[in-house]
Amino acid sequence: DIASRAVGKRGENPTLMGVLLKALPDNGLRVTGTDIERRAWRTVSARVDEVGAVVLPHGPLREFVSNVSPDDGIKITVNDKHRATLVSGSTKIQVSGLDPEPYPVGPDLHDPLVDFTMSAPEFATLIRHTLHATADPGKTSSAVLAGVNFSNLDGPLLARSADSYRMAVDGLDVETSGEFNVSAMASGLVECVKHLMSATSARIMIDARQSVLVVDCESG
């Protein structure tokens, strides 16, 4: 459900309209969705017999998951033509998938420029206090005006937004690591706030290129 909220709209790149499922060597399954401007993913525990990845259409996948019992678990097998078979209890479906190779690569977080943890509700409040002043992306050619800027160049963690006639600024005294100045699209931040409000802490990371803001929500 988390990943499917970030997939592309109908009519766009077919790869972006799907969800990337990646079986990891440490017995984990990472599910990712992205429309380029925003990216959402979650890793869950899974028994992995063979590592690999596939892109599946999020509609059939989401419908299947919503109609089976969590107690039954889900078995996923994928053949060499990217066709997936999903089985849960007595329910079984087959879905034609796509090659994961063209799927957009995510941010590099092996050596993030910035990495710190703060209160999730406080970060959500910071975002909410500035979202209202962002410009409508359909009415501006500036990606900066359609998002919120985060920086600590002046000391505290500041969130700033502005369109052609108004501005919003809010700040928090938070201990951070390294200087940063990065902007994030409002569409992604709206979804981010939903998860932050139900979490206790948020790990904030900026990748080495200083172009992506990553928020990892943790529940208590």
Side-chain angles (χ1 to χ4, degrees):
D1 184 57
I2 292 176
S4 66
R5 294 179 183 178
V7 300
K9 298 179 180 178
R10 186 176 299 278
E12 295 181 349
N13 185 327
T15 302
L16 298 184
M17 291 174 60
V19 176
L20 175 67
L21 276 64
K22 187 172 184 179
L24 307 173
D26 55 352
N27 283 330
L29 176 67
R30 180 174 299 153
V31 186
T32 304
T34 184
D35 62 0
I36 300 298
E37 289 183 355
R38 56 184 178 172
R39 188 181 189 93
W41 70 91
R42 185 169 186 176
T43 303
V44 296
S45 298
R47 192 190 77 186
V48 177
D49 296 324
E50 184 177 351
V51 298
V54 67
V55 177
L56 298 180
H58 83 280
L61 185 62
R62 188 174 185 179
E63 182 178 359
F64 174 80
V65 172
S66 64
N67 286 288
V68 298
S69 171
D71 296 333
D72 290 335
I74 299 174
K75 181 180 180 181
I76 304 173
T77 56
V78 182
N79 65 20
D80 57 2
K81 295 184 178 180
H82 314 299
R83 186 169 180 81
T85 301
L86 290 79
V87 179
S88 181
S90 59
T91 304
K92 176 181 177 180
I93 66 168
Q94 290 188 323
V95 183
S96 295
L98 297 172
D99 185 350
E101 188 64 28
Y103 201 84
V105 177
D108 179 10
L109 297 176
H110 291 95
D111 185 23
L113 174 68
V114 175
D115 188 346
F116 65 94
T117 301
M118 62 177 292
S119 162
E122 286 187 353
F123 190 52
T125 299
L126 191 70
I127 297 172
R128 290 169 64 189
H129 284 175
T130 51
L131 270 177
H132 69 277
T134 58
D136 185 335
K139 299 179 180 180
T140 179
S141 59
S142 172
V144 174
L145 296 182
V148 177
N149 175 262
F150 299 92
S151 74
N152 65 348
L153 303 182
D154 299 320
L157 170 61
L158 291 179
R160 291 174 283 200
S161 63
D163 55 18
S164 58
Y165 61 93
R166 59 184 176 178
M167 175 181 289
V169 180
D170 199 4
L172 286 171
D173 286 321
V174 178
E175 185 176 344
T176 59
S177 59
E179 292 187 340
F180 58 91
N181 183 19
V182 65
S183 296
M185 295 297 290
S187 58
L189 292 174
V190 170
E191 290 296 331
C192 183
V193 166
K194 296 177 182 179
H195 301 296
L196 286 167
M197 294 305 294
S198 61
T200 54
S201 64
R203 183 184 176 191
I204 314 298
M205 293 168 281
I206 297 175
D207 79 342
R209 295 164 293 177
Q210 200 173 348
S211 60
V212 178
L213 175 74
V214 177
V215 181
D216 184 5
C217 300
E218 299 179 5
S219 301

